[in-house]
Amino acid sequence: MGNTKHVLTYGDAFVDYIAATASNDSFNRHLGGATVNVAAGVSRLGLPSGFITITGDDETSAFVRNELLKEGVDLTHAIQVPEKRVSGVYIHLTPEFDRIFADYVNETPDLQVRSHELRKEAFEKASIFHFCSGTLFHPEARTTTRRALELSKEHDVLCSYDVNIRPLRWESEEHCRKTVLDFLPLADIVKLTTAELAFLMETDSLEEGVSRLARHAIPLVFVTDGENGTHAVFQNQIHHIPVLPVQPVDTTGAGDAFMAGVIRHVHLRGLPETKQEVIACADFGNKLGALCATKAGALTAMPRLAEMATTSNPGGEIL
């Protein structure tokens, strides 16, 4: 591929307990978490992938590490502390197959990767550093994230930020909003949903939300809107990129699949510099997200590169 650097992701590993039916009375266990999905997702797309996280010594932690290794995710820079317990989240499904995060279990929230445990060599070898807001509720994790972003900038690593707000993790909406906003100017690429844009910018208008977001001077923003596709914001212009309709089975992880596609595009081609490159980047992400939504689960539904053959352009190249 011509780029030997890896994609470096930081965040919490989760066990997702996903409802087996829309009646939400039985659940299947899956490895999950937004950053886990992205780390595994880019690996499935053929990129070297490294993950910084913290796990313990119990069976659930062993399950998490083994599943990540099976996915080809490098855990060299991950931390293991015996007392740590991996968080769990119960995910309910609506009749329309959208996901609802119904309950969140975290027995050891204060055991986090600490800033001094980050290794410079992880960033020296990275093309992109990806994170989300999932750990930012905790002061230690905020400090670690800021240090990771500093190391990224020191080593010319692009920074990707999926807002990915999970209200159950925050003490208040105000604290959530302020914290998430504080990190926006530190990213080169930001992804958020239309609902998250409305929450952060405190307006239901896409145009007004994008206008207010502009003060953070983010080079590239993707506002995803489910079956309506994606709005890419580039050089203060909004470009709508539609997505081909699919029959959804489970939308859990679709946004993470989108993010994995965007990261692959940027890893191989660099940050988009033209409208056409932005559209191609978002289009590939859309296709991955749509394909993910046709399967049950999150990580289990993450597309592999071979599955993308049907989404290649007329010249036969996978974008």
Side-chain angles (χ1 to χ4, degrees), residues 289-318:
L291 185 57
C292 180
T294 64
K295 302 177 183 179
L299 177 56
T300 54
M302 285 286 132
R304 299 182 184 277
L305 193 60
E307 297 176 70
M308 300 306 295
T310 57
T311 68
S312 61
N313 64 19
E317 179 188 9
I318 296 177

Side-chain angles (χ1 to χ4, degrees), residues 237-278:
Q237 298 293 316
I238 302 175
H239 308 285
H240 178 246
I241 301 90
V243 62
L244 291 175
V246 296
Q247 182 61 47
V249 172
D250 180 359
T251 59
T252 307
D256 304 327
F258 173 90
M259 201 70 246
V262 166
I263 288 172
R264 181 183 188 273
H265 193 282
V266 173
H267 175 88
L268 295 178
R269 300 166 183 261
L271 201 64
E273 297 180 348
T274 67
K275 170 185 172 181
Q276 289 73 25
E277 290 174 357
V278 170

Side-chain angles (χ1 to χ4, degrees), residues 63-79:
F63 165 76
V64 166
R65 290 192 299 271
N66 289 336
E67 291 300 304
L68 282 165
L69 291 172
K70 284 181 193 176
E71 291 291 341
V73 177
D74 183 8
L75 298 179
T76 299
H77 303 293
I79 305 299

